[in-house]
């Protein structure tokens, strides 16, 4: 077993390499949103050894987060279209508006995720999650 500092350095190096690859991504520079999201989600899942990685954007009415792209690493598949309505999960949206990062090592017992656990997290086998907010002009625009 490697010391924690070696594991951190290894992860840090892998993340830096992934960021460098994404910064040079041809899809990003060609304004190909789907291609850029595909590359970002697969890179993130691979680098952090995640089962799933996704990008959700707040719709124009600011009434729902809409899944733009979800990557399932085990299947190597992509999907989109899921929605989380603000009216159905106000606690989650409140938590997202309060900070840049929502990390939950136990989604079953995290009150911020209680509203989406039964219909969104449990069916997909999600036991832990980290949600980083995307902000535009100081306002939540996605995760």
């Amino acid at each position: 077993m490697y010391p924690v500092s070696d594991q951190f350095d290894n992860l840090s190096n892998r993340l830096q390499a992934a960021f460098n690859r994404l910064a040079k991504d041809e899809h990003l520079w060609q304004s190909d949103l789907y291609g850029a999201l595909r590359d970002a989600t697969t890179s993130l899942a691979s680098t952090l050894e995640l089962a799933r990685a996704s990008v959700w954007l707040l719709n124009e009415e600011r009434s729902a987060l809409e899944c733009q792209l979800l990557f399932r690493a085990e299947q190597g598949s992509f999907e989109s279209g899921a929605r989380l309505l603000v009216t159905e999960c106000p606690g989650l949206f409140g938590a997202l508006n309060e900070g840049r990062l929502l990390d939950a090592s136990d989604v079953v017992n995290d009150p911020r995720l209680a509203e989406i656990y039964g219909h969104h997290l449990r069916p997909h086998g999600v036991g832990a999650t980290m949600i980083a907010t995307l902000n535009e002009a100081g306002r939540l625009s996605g995760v």
Side-chain angles (χ1 to χ4, degrees):
M1 182 123 195
Y2 298 103
V4 172
S5 62
D6 289 348
Q7 292 174 356
F8 178 79
D9 288 344
N10 184 333
L11 176 60
S12 179
N13 290 337
R14 290 190 340 243
L15 281 171
Q16 186 62 49
F19 289 140
N20 288 338
R21 278 192 312 277
L22 290 171
K24 299 173 188 172
D25 188 308
E26 66 184 62
H27 297 108
L28 182 63
W29 297 108
Q30 294 173 359
S31 300
D32 174 7
L33 179 61
Y34 179 80
L37 292 177
R38 187 183 63 237
D39 293 347
T41 55
T42 57
S43 183
L44 186 62
S46 172
T47 301
L48 296 178
E49 300 174 3
L50 304 173
R52 302 160 41 108
S54 58
V55 176
W56 298 64
L57 297 178
L58 201 55
N59 65 4
E60 286 185 33
E61 299 81 22
R62 304 185 62 75
S63 62
L65 278 172
E66 299 175 343
C67 181
Q68 302 301 302
L69 196 65
L70 166 75
F71 173 63
R72 295 180 184 275
E74 188 172 302
Q75 295 91 348
S77 64
F78 296 92
E79 59 188 69
S80 62
R83 293 171 46 111
L84 293 174
L85 299 174
V86 173
T87 55
E88 293 177 359
C89 43
L92 171 62
F93 279 87
L96 293 173
N97 279 310
E98 288 177 12
R100 301 273 304 160
L101 185 69
L102 190 156
D103 60 328
S105 59
D106 179 9
V107 299
V108 174
N109 296 305
D110 193 307
R112 301 169 297 177
L113 300 170
E115 298 154 334
I116 64 168
Y117 177 72
H119 68 84
H120 182 73
L121 300 175
R122 184 179 55 213
H124 298 293
V126 177
T129 190
M130 182 176 295
I131 303 171
T133 61
L134 302 172
N135 293 284
E136 184 177 348
R139 293 177 54 186
L140 178 69
S141 60
V143 295

